Amino acid sequence: MKLVRYGPAGREKPGIIDKDGKIRDLSRVVTDIDGAMLASGGLAKIKAANLNRLKVVPGKPRLGACIGNVRNFIAIGLNYSDHAAEAGMPIPKEPIIFNKAPTSICGPNDNTIIPKDSEKLDYEVELGIVIGKRARYLDRSKAMSAVAGYFTANDVSERAFQIDRSGGQWNKGKGCETFGPIGPWFVTKDEIKDPQNLDMWLDVNGEKRQRGNTRTMIFGVEHLVWYCSQFFVMEPGDIIVTGTPPGVGLGMKPPKFLKAGDVVTLGIQGLGEQTQKIVALKK
């Protein structure tokens, strides 16, 4: 199933993509696409629904973040061997974990706002994981049972905040407003045969920037879910973005950072595409 949230920001409704690529309204089946829905058996309710009886949503409405009410937005750094090489950094021995502020989350095609005092705005196409049930000290063999599905993400980053301004953590370069576009869809895991073999790409103004495949992840989906559960409890609706392949602006020679007016397009095989326009901060 490909689940969506559509409508104006803050007033999104739940939907599902039918076989013809149209959105069908799920409001009569579930209240939202979020952790509460997952925890209450909502996926089974949606699967049992007769899609042909659900209203087709007319036109092309705005798509919101594919998961609503996210409480824990977890991110993994330097998790692609080819990206680590590009950055000139050693392969991590254990996953590097940081958090993005939930307030950074936005729709997949919403504008990216340049934050105040930004100098080095960057992009990162990433595979996202949706946690479907409580994950606490999981056995490695049980880790995938906690995964509800996947999505496309752009881990928008401000490198000056993240790296140049010494002290603190990566969070301040990762959690700014609109730095977490997720979607267009939350794809249930039954539709993705192998999350470790998905092509991924990102372009800026039509110029090829990132090309990669999830097979070069240092730590795969199963390992990451198991590993995170050893340090903190994850609840239904929590999300993990899992690192990026090479081609980020920081890694280019010379670096190529984003500026107002740029258009970023990205996608992952089977998980849909995003488009963001870079816009100046309105004071």
Side-chain angles (χ1 to χ4, degrees):
M1 297 185 292
K2 291 183 174 71
L3 305 178
V4 299
R5 299 172 70 249
Y6 69 93
R11 302 199 305 275
E12 293 91 348
K13 295 181 179 180
I16 186 169
I17 305 296
D18 68 14
K19 59 182 177 59
D20 298 319
K22 297 178 180 178
I23 300 175
R24 299 269 181 164
D25 181 69
L26 282 174
S27 298
R28 294 169 57 186
V29 183
V30 295
T31 303
D32 202 349
I33 307 299
D34 61 5
M37 180 276 289
L38 293 168
S40 63
L43 289 183
K45 294 177 186 176
I46 296 170
K47 192 171 184 179
N50 185 339
L51 296 190
N52 293 327
R53 292 186 177 180
L54 301 177
K55 182 182 72 174
V56 174
V57 178
K60 295 184 178 180
R62 170 189 173 270
L63 296 181
C66 60
I67 298 291
N69 306 309
V70 173
R71 292 174 294 185
N72 196 1
F73 191 174
I74 304 153
I76 308 298
L78 289 176
N79 194 35
Y80 280 69
S81 55
D82 37 10
H83 174 53
E86 166 188 64
M89 302 184 74
I91 299 295
K93 294 181 180 179
E94 296 190 36
I96 297 171
I97 301 173
F98 61 95
N99 279 86
K100 289 176 73 79
T103 50
S104 72
I105 294 173
C106 62
N109 304 313
D110 291 348
N111 291 338
T112 297
I113 300 170
I114 301 173
K116 183 180 178 181
D117 299 326
S118 172
E119 299 173 6
K120 300 179 179 180
L121 188 65
D122 210 345
Y123 50 81
E124 297 186 3
V125 57
E126 306 205 4
L127 171 67
I129 303 168
V130 181
I131 299 299
K133 69 178 186 180
R134 197 167 198 257
R136 174 180 177 270
Y137 294 121
L138 294 172
D139 291 332
R140 194 186 298 261
S141 63
K142 302 276 183 68
M144 292 304 290
S145 69
V147 175
Y150 307 97
F151 59 88
T152 298
N154 184 358
D155 177 15
V156 185
S157 307
E158 212 303 329
R159 303 301 188 187
F161 297 175
Q162 177 192 359
I163 299 169
D164 300 344
R165 297 176 67 169
S166 59
Q169 299 178 334
W170 284 10
N171 304 33
K172 63 189 180 185
K174 297 284 192 172
C176 302
E177 183 182 7
T178 70
F179 273 27
I182 62 173
W185 313 311
F186 156 25
V187 181
T188 51
K189 70 177 177 182
D190 57 296
E191 291 208 12
I192 304 299
K193 292 181 179 179
D194 183 4
Q196 302 309 147
N197 188 23
L198 300 175
D199 290 330
M200 50 206 310
W201 60 274
L202 183 146
D203 296 343
V204 178
N205 301 327
E207 176 190 354
K208 293 181 180 179
R209 293 288 182 93
Q210 290 189 277
R211 293 294 185 274
N213 187 287
T214 55
R215 63 174 168 264
T216 67
M217 286 170 66
I218 298 164
F219 305 103
V221 170
E222 180 181 66
H223 186 95
L224 291 174
V225 174
W226 164 79
Y227 184 86
C228 288
S229 79
Q230 307 307 302
F231 299 97
F232 46 85
V233 176
M234 292 179 288
E235 299 285 2
D238 289 353
I239 59 175
I240 306 172
V241 292
T242 59
T244 199
V248 299
L250 178 67
M252 303 185 80
K253 298 184 178 5
K256 289 186 177 182
F257 297 115
L258 298 170
K259 62 185 183 304
D262 285 346
V263 175
V264 179
T265 52
L266 61 144
I268 299 179
Q269 180 183 352
L271 301 180
E273 301 180 4
Q274 303 183 354
T275 299
Q276 294 110 33
K277 184 177 180 180
I278 311 303
V279 300
L281 175 69
K282 292 183 179 179
K283 297 182 180 179

